[in-house]
Amino acid sequence: MAVFISHSFHNKPEFDNIVDALTLAEVPYWNPADVKPGCSLRDQLRQAVEQCSLCIFVATHRSLESSWCGAELCAFWGAVKPVIVYLADSSLA
């Protein structure tokens, strides 16, 4: 089961914490560092969604404002794949 971590790039520390936990548990994840320059980002994200079984959404004010994060959530919803919300900002209700 591969995991997709939807996050704002402003939330790299939270992303890194999740990656550390997944790595310790030997759970593969899609690494945004693997994005190939010069190739369609949309196509690469679509392929990542297809290959991942689960999305972890890092919920912060920045991620909620991000159109990319919204698109990723919609893609997982449309693919009928589960999404776990990690409430990383305690000021969110």
Side-chain angles (χ1 to χ4, degrees), residues 21-44:
L22 293 174
T23 301
L24 283 173
E26 299 181 357
V27 175
Y29 66 94
W30 182 75
N31 190 340
D34 294 338
V35 169
K36 296 172 185 75
C39 297
S40 167
L41 178 58
R42 180 178 305 188
D43 290 343
Q44 291 179 74

Side-chain angles (χ1 to χ4, degrees), residues 63-81:
S63 64
L64 292 173
E65 294 169 355
S66 167
S67 60
W68 279 107
C69 289
E72 292 164 359
L73 284 176
C74 287
F76 272 89
W77 180 78
V80 193
K81 295 187 179 185

